[in-house]
């Protein structure tokens, strides 16, 4: 069983999601904690360099939550955004990479 950790202020962002997307996010993270971070498509996808995305889809829209993993089966949720276009905006990936770098250097995660 894996442990899920949220990056600093991400919890507030997640809790502000519409009810359907929040429920779907919670269900998918429960599955990740039970079976590991690699649920495979359509739920999870590798982005690059140890950065992954959780793909949350509901009637209210589409949300992406970037995450990384650490030794000890920790899954660290880094950044979320509401998807509005086909491609992931570069600024969203950049934010997630910066946070991933901070997490990888910090033993408290």
């Amino acid at each position: 069983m894996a442990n899920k950790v949220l990056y600093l202020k991400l919890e507030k962002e997640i809790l502000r999601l519409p009810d359907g997307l929040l429920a779907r996010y919670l269900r998918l993270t429960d599955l990740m904690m039970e079976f590991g971070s690699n649920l495979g498509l359509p739920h999870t996808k590798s982005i690059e360099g140890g950065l992954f995305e959780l793909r949350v889809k509901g009637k209210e829209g589409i949300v992406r939550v970037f995450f990384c993993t650490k030794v000890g089966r920790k899954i660290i949720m880094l950044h979320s955004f509401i998807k509005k276009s086909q491609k992931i905006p570069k600024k969203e990936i950049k934010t997630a990479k910066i946070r991933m770098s901070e997490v990888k250097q910090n033993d408290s995660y």
Side-chain angles (χ1 to χ4, degrees):
M1 180 177 253
N3 296 319
K4 178 181 73 170
V5 179
L6 293 175
Y7 181 88
L8 302 174
K9 298 173 186 161
L10 185 61
E11 185 174 12
K12 289 180 183 176
E13 287 179 38
I14 296 294
L15 292 175
R16 280 190 238 128
L17 291 174
D19 290 343
L21 289 171
L22 178 59
R24 185 76 180 137
Y25 166 81
L26 294 172
R27 174 69 180 131
L28 289 173
T29 56
D30 283 348
L31 289 172
M32 291 172 77
M33 290 181 353
E34 186 174 346
F35 299 109
S37 63
N38 185 12
L39 297 178
L41 286 171
H43 307 301
T44 59
K45 181 180 174 186
S46 175
I47 300 297
E48 59 184 60
L51 183 65
F52 302 89
E53 71 174 344
L54 178 63
R55 304 158 63 97
V56 182
K57 188 175 181 179
K59 64 182 178 185
E60 298 99 333
I62 300 172
V63 171
R64 296 293 189 251
V65 183
F66 291 110
F67 68 93
C68 65
T69 58
K70 282 188 86 170
V71 177
R73 295 184 52 90
K74 282 190 177 178
I75 301 167
I76 297 114
M77 301 301 182
L78 301 166
H79 177 60
S80 69
F81 72 99
I82 295 177
K83 190 166 181 205
K84 297 178 183 172
S85 64
Q86 192 69 20
K87 284 191 89 174
I88 300 170
K90 291 190 184 301
K91 73 173 191 157
E92 305 295 351
I93 292 176
K94 183 178 179 182
T95 299
K97 282 182 167 181
I98 289 168
R99 291 180 178 181
M100 181 173 69
S101 177
E102 292 171 9
V103 163
K104 296 279 184 174
Q105 295 173 8
N106 188 338
D107 289 334
S108 66
Y109 281 98

